[in-house]
Amino acid sequence: MSPVQQPEEDISLRIQELAGNLKIRDVMTRHVFAVTRTCTMRDVQTIMKNNAISGIPVVDSNHVVGMVSVHDIMSAFEQDWMADAVADHMTTGVRTLSEEQPLSFAMSAFSKFPYRRFPVVNRKNELVGMVTLRNINVALIQELSRQLATMETEGGRVTPPASSDSCIFYRTYRLARYDFESGGKASAELREQLRVRGVAPKTIRRAAVACYELEINIIAHSHGGTLTLYIDRDCVRITANDFGPGIPDVEQAMTEGYSTANDWIRSQGFGAGMGLPNTKRLSDEFAIQSGVDMGTMIKSIVNLNTSEELSDESK
Ligand SMILES: Nc1ncnc2c1ncn2[C@@H]1O[C@H](COP(=O)(O)OP(=O)(O)OP(=O)(O)O)[C@@H](O)[C@H]1O
Ligand SMILES: [Mg+2]
């Protein structure tokens, strides 16, 4: 079977989907200039001028402790601080992004904060790159052009990401805040796709319920986002991706019975605080990443052809 096409896809949906699939590490600049606290403002100015950059992170043992911008250099120039150490004039409390976060987190960060670049750190909190709006735009344009070229050669068929030769169904759904009427479309389609493939009812239920919970969470708790379904021969992958507001305490959100649903959401029949713990329980693999003010990305994988399925099928 070939991947199912999505004729109604539009460009902004494609961008949202890409923003969920690409990681910050895929677009960041890896060659980063950084200075230590004892460098002077003049040293920084020289580095900026020679390399045409407008902001430099200040590091201590490769951990970001501040930023110096062109604006800081201009102030230093006016105040006669050019011989001072950067530690005296840098901006502290710098917001960093993690290289493993989806690109959508970086896009949210740029729309919410007045910064023109963010340092990117690895799991050990060490500086590994910088990301600017330009990086993001270039990456999105390149990827969209690549997809367009593929669509042209494949007669308009939308293809799933590279590395998915066994994909049999691939679709992204846009979900708007409080649009409960759209909730359930993805899970209904998933149910049907699995049914026609002869997947065992128990497995269909697990995947469809996980999908539904993630759909509703985007609608009820986020500013809006996308849900991508990807079915291959071995498993169903469900990816929910939104642009904020993020979950401040993921462990708490994963606790049974914890909910921040307001009265209106409760009046729609939701808010028992069971969606996330249930989704995790129903999934063979489950991962959640969330950044306050940036967004939430949740992945659920339900395996097909498991012993559960085989035993169901033999009934
Ligand atoms: N995409 C999201 N964005 C922001 N917050 C979220 C998101 N998904 C879940 N949350 C937070 O996690 C809490 C727990 O989510 P969960 O799905 O378990 O329960 P619920 O949606 O409140 O209720 P239920 O799913 O039982 O109807 C939510 O109340 C909300 O605070
Ligand atoms: Mg929920």
PDB file of all heavy atoms in Angstrom, residues 62 85 138 151 246 296:
ATOM      1  N   ASN A  62      31.443  26.188  30.019  1.00  0.00           N
ATOM      2  CA  ASN A  62      30.494  25.892  28.925  1.00  0.00           C
ATOM      3  C   ASN A  62      29.014  25.985  29.324  1.00  0.00           C
ATOM      4  O   ASN A  62      28.143  25.561  28.583  1.00  0.00           O
ATOM      5  CB  ASN A  62      30.791  24.527  28.299  1.00  0.00           C
ATOM      6  CG  ASN A  62      30.583  24.586  26.797  1.00  0.00           C
ATOM      7  OD1 ASN A  62      30.523  25.679  26.218  1.00  0.00           O
ATOM      8  ND2 ASN A  62      30.429  23.445  26.164  1.00  0.00           N
ATOM      9  N   ALA A  85      34.949  44.258  32.363  1.00  0.00           N
ATOM     10  CA  ALA A  85      34.675  42.836  32.088  1.00  0.00           C
ATOM     11  C   ALA A  85      33.210  42.674  31.691  1.00  0.00           C
ATOM     12  O   ALA A  85      32.342  43.403  32.201  1.00  0.00           O
ATOM     13  CB  ALA A  85      34.972  42.008  33.336  1.00  0.00           C
ATOM     14  N   VAL A 138      15.074  29.501   7.272  1.00  0.00           N
ATOM     15  CA  VAL A 138      15.841  28.791   6.244  1.00  0.00           C
ATOM     16  C   VAL A 138      15.508  27.304   6.285  1.00  0.00           C
ATOM     17  O   VAL A 138      15.243  26.679   5.259  1.00  0.00           O
ATOM     18  CB  VAL A 138      17.363  29.039   6.442  1.00  0.00           C
ATOM     19  CG1 VAL A 138      18.180  28.095   5.571  1.00  0.00           C
ATOM     20  CG2 VAL A 138      17.710  30.492   6.129  1.00  0.00           C
ATOM     21  N   MET A 151       6.576  16.122  -4.062  1.00  0.00           N
ATOM     22  CA  MET A 151       5.168  16.070  -4.483  1.00  0.00           C
ATOM     23  C   MET A 151       5.067  16.162  -5.997  1.00  0.00           C
ATOM     24  O   MET A 151       4.255  15.483  -6.623  1.00  0.00           O
ATOM     25  CB  MET A 151       4.379  17.228  -3.862  1.00  0.00           C
ATOM     26  CG  MET A 151       3.988  16.985  -2.436  1.00  0.00           C
ATOM     27  SD  MET A 151       3.397  18.496  -1.683  1.00  0.00           S
ATOM     28  CE  MET A 151       1.804  18.644  -2.442  1.00  0.00           C
ATOM     29  N   GLY A 246       2.183  25.220  27.527  1.00  0.00           N
ATOM     30  CA  GLY A 246       3.132  24.326  28.176  1.00  0.00           C
ATOM     31  C   GLY A 246       2.618  23.870  29.538  1.00  0.00           C
ATOM     32  O   GLY A 246       1.655  24.415  30.070  1.00  0.00           O
ATOM     33  N   THR A 296       3.900  21.956  24.087  1.00  0.00           N
ATOM     34  CA  THR A 296       3.958  20.577  24.580  1.00  0.00           C
ATOM     35  C   THR A 296       3.988  19.638  23.391  1.00  0.00           C
ATOM     36  O   THR A 296       3.284  19.857  22.403  1.00  0.00           O
ATOM     37  CB  THR A 296       2.709  20.276  25.448  1.00  0.00           C
ATOM     38  OG1 THR A 296       2.705  21.180  26.543  1.00  0.00           O
ATOM     39  CG2 THR A 296       2.733  18.851  25.983  1.00  0.00           C
TER      40      THR A 296
END
